[in-house]
Amino acid sequence: MQITAKEFQQRRKNLMALMGENSIAILPAAPTRTRNRDVEYPYRQDSDFYYMSGFVEPAAVMVLKPGRAHGEFVMFCRERDPNKEMWDGGIVGPEGVCDQFGADDAFPISDIDEILPGLIEGCDKLFYSMGSNPDFDKQVMEWINVIRSKVRSGAQPPNEFIVLDHFLHDLRLYKSNKEIQIMKKACRITAEAHIAAMKACSVGMMEYQLEGVYLQQFIQQGCRSPAYPSIVGGGANACTLHYIDNNKELIDGDLVLVDAGCEYQYYAGDVTRTYPVNGSYSNEQRALYEIVLEAQFAAIGQVKPGNHWDQPHQAAVEIITQGLLDLGVLKGRLSTLLKKEAYKPFYMHKTGHWLGLDVHDVGEYKVGGEWRMLEPGMTLTVEPGLYIPAQAKGVAKKWQGIGIRIEDNVLVTKEGCELMTDKVPRQIRDIEQLMSK
Ligand code: GLY
Ligand code: MN
Ligand code: MN
């Protein structure tokens, strides 16, 4: 199950059609990053670069120049080097990039300063992802200055510098059938890891040991990495939204919130479940959990073509506010509390985000100042939560220190939406039953 060379080619065509004539786009590969002396972080290609090429090596720059007589797709990449390859593994090399990745022309990356200004020269519009990588910004300006230094000899630098993201990210927002297949597999693996972890969870385990169950499942099923650092928060740690220390013991009577998803073939799963360490929810945990679950159902019900991006969130905050009113955590009239966003101390994030090659995937949420309409082929998370910190002021003690999030991944379809992570139980009785096995 892989994106085909033909699909990568189609993506380049689609982007070039949007760029128009007399233009050029430049995309750099992700840089390598040092972890500590002589040790690098595992390399992960930049998602835009991967989306357009499928090429996963560092030290590369791809260039798209619609209508170029000698070929529209040019790649600069590392040259083959038997000595380096003996240590670090194979390098595809310029020839390989043409044969295997459909480049029309490829050159050693060491020649880029000599060749690229010549490719840019004469183009009206230069597209690149301005401002996201200061080193690359500087490099682009150096190439432009090479052209500017030759204007008296007739060289023409571009007049327009255009942020590539708007065009490229709009393409990435609509998933193809193949992307959806891959994402469904990422969702299935993620779901199975949550199931395995619910079964393995026990009192006295360390949070990182529970994390280990997820990582083991991901790797076992062909993912070399999670899509983001897993959040495993026992008890009140669940109220720290980006808690990744994962170094505390799981306590009898507490819940544990786990936000973990695999990366499969570069695509992310992103699922959260909140389950009782000892296998049974207390009455207070149950009461809060049921509110979040109802909010999630209401939000998912709003994911359909014709609705806009914020409708699921509005549905979720209404249920959450009503729920907090019913429990006596909030007091007043529902409409006033909604207007005042009184839920925010306990529900401070939005109900979802786009999902794809990046866990917080690209794509604009507003178009022309209005919330974007949902359309078939878009993929997103639906993830309401409730977080009552340990020292929450004015809240009865019995609710304090409970954090809950329920997160699933959905695909917008013609009829409504499809839950891609439905294999992981969400209902209390199903979770308790699974954990009792
Ligand atoms: N895992 C990050 C998020 O849920 O948005
Ligand atoms: Mn998440
Ligand atoms: Mn998420």
Side-chain angles (χ1 to χ4, degrees):
M1 196 188 299
Q2 275 190 332
I3 303 293
T4 59
K6 201 160 163 235
E7 184 161 342
F8 284 114
Q9 185 187 29
Q10 187 59 49
R11 293 171 180 180
R12 292 190 290 270
K13 273 198 180 146
N14 293 345
L15 181 64
M16 285 192 276
L18 294 172
M19 288 163 56
E21 284 182 4
N22 259 335
S23 63
I24 187 166
I26 309 175
L27 288 90
T32 54
R33 292 191 170 86
T34 303
R35 180 179 185 275
N36 59 313
R37 191 179 169 85
D38 288 349
V39 180
E40 284 180 356
Y41 282 104
Y43 185 70
R44 191 336 183 132
Q45 188 55 279
D46 173 80
S47 297
D48 284 339
F49 189 95
Y50 177 78
Y51 181 82
M52 297 308 298
S53 69
F55 187 56
V56 297
E57 287 185 17
V61 171
M62 71 177 288
V63 176
L64 295 175
K65 187 167 172 175
R68 176 175 174 259
H70 296 296
E72 299 177 313
F73 172 25
V74 180
M75 182 79 90
F76 294 89
C77 61
R78 300 182 301 183
E79 281 188 282
R80 298 206 58 185
D81 175 347
N83 193 37
K84 194 169 160 38
E85 290 181 55
M86 186 174 69
W87 286 87
D88 299 330
I91 292 174
V92 170
E95 243 177 73
V97 166
C98 293
D99 293 346
Q100 299 164 41
F101 294 88
D104 297 307
D105 246 342
F107 304 99
I109 187 76
S110 51
D111 293 349
I112 193 166
D113 291 342
E114 265 168 60
I115 297 171
L116 190 51
L119 289 172
I120 299 172
E121 200 270 318
C123 291
D124 280 340
K125 295 185 267 184
L126 170 62
F127 291 81
Y128 80 102
S129 181
M130 235 166 283
S132 44
N133 175 345
D135 290 339
F136 191 69
D137 285 346
K138 193 163 159 267
Q139 223 176 19
V140 172
M141 285 312 136
E142 281 167 10
W143 294 322
I144 298 301
N145 283 334
V146 170
I147 305 170
R148 284 180 180 152
S149 71
K150 295 179 182 160
V151 285
R152 279 176 294 279
S153 317
Q156 286 186 300
N159 293 315
E160 276 185 80
F161 295 82
I162 302 174
V163 183
L164 179 63
D165 308 21
H166 171 70
F167 299 88
L168 174 45
H169 294 175
D170 212 62
L171 295 176
R172 278 178 56 187
L173 182 56
Y174 300 87
K175 272 63 178 180
S176 70
N177 289 338
K178 184 59 93 171
E179 285 181 292
I180 290 166
Q181 274 180 30
I182 294 173
M183 288 187 69
K184 284 185 175 173
K185 175 111 192 229
C187 287
R188 203 156 56 237
I189 295 170
T190 300
E192 284 169 11
H194 275 277
I195 291 170
M198 284 179 190
K199 287 185 186 164
C201 181
S202 65
V203 171
M205 249 176 136
M206 300 299 285
E207 292 165 341
Y208 54 74
Q209 290 173 320
L210 191 58
E211 180 182 9
V213 178
Y214 287 84
L215 299 181
Q216 200 277 340
Q217 287 285 321
F218 294 164
I219 289 199
Q220 188 70 28
Q221 302 217 46
C223 307
R224 292 301 308 277
S225 163
Y228 52 91
S230 310
I231 296 167
V232 183
N237 295 334
C239 299
T240 304
L241 292 182
H242 292 159
Y243 177 81
I244 53 168
D245 288 348
N246 302 354
N247 59 1
K248 301 291 185 308
E249 192 178 324
L250 295 173
I251 307 293
D252 196 5
D254 277 354
L255 296 177
V256 59
L257 179 156
V258 185
D259 184 342
C262 71
E263 182 172 286
Y264 180 75
Q265 301 261 341
Y266 277 76
Y267 287 82
D270 182 11
V271 170
T272 307
R273 287 293 181 270
T274 311
Y275 42 97
V277 171
N278 66 14
S280 315
Y281 292 82
S282 72
N283 290 338
E284 289 75 21
Q285 292 162 352
R286 187 179 293 265
L288 291 173
Y289 190 96
E290 292 294 2
I291 296 171
V292 179
L293 188 59
E294 193 189 336
Q296 203 210 27
F297 275 114
I300 290 173
Q302 295 299 316
V303 179
K304 54 185 165 196
N307 277 8
H308 66 64
W309 168 260
D310 206 44
Q311 275 172 268
H313 181 62
Q314 288 170 2
V317 296
E318 196 166 324
I319 299 285
I320 281 173
T321 308
Q322 182 63 55
L324 292 173
L325 257 176
D326 294 344
L327 297 182
V329 174
L330 291 178
K331 291 182 182 67
R333 277 165 55 109
L334 178 65
S335 56
T336 320
L337 293 171
L338 282 169
K339 213 175 285 161
K340 288 197 313 196
E341 300 184 329
Y343 53 85
K344 271 213 167 152
F346 313 110
Y347 181 40
M348 57 297 279
H349 59 77
K350 290 293 266 187
T351 301
H353 49 80
W354 304 126
L355 183 72
L357 286 170
D358 293 305
V359 60
H360 290 177
D361 208 32
V362 294
E364 286 163 4
Y365 292 97
K366 279 193 166 177
V367 176
E370 301 290 337
W371 290 114
R372 183 168 208 137
M373 302 306 280
L374 297 171
E375 293 176 61
M378 295 173 168
T379 45
L380 59 144
T381 67
V382 182
E383 49 177 307
L386 257 179
Y387 313 92
I388 320 277
Q391 311 295 333
K393 277 203 195 95
V395 179
K397 187 136 183 65
K398 62 179 178 176
W399 308 118
Q400 292 181 3
I402 301 178
I404 293 163
R405 177 162 66 257
I406 307 171
E407 175 174 27
D408 283 280
N409 304 159
V410 302
L411 162 69
V412 185
T413 61
K414 279 201 199 99
E415 296 77 29
C417 71
E418 183 182 337
L419 196 58
M420 297 190 288
T421 44
D422 61 347
K423 283 230 153 54
V424 213
R426 287 181 289 172
Q427 298 281 359
I428 284 186
R429 62 173 179 279
D430 296 335
I431 293 176
E432 287 187 340
Q433 196 182 19
L434 180 67
M435 293 184 75
S436 72
K437 279 187 190 151

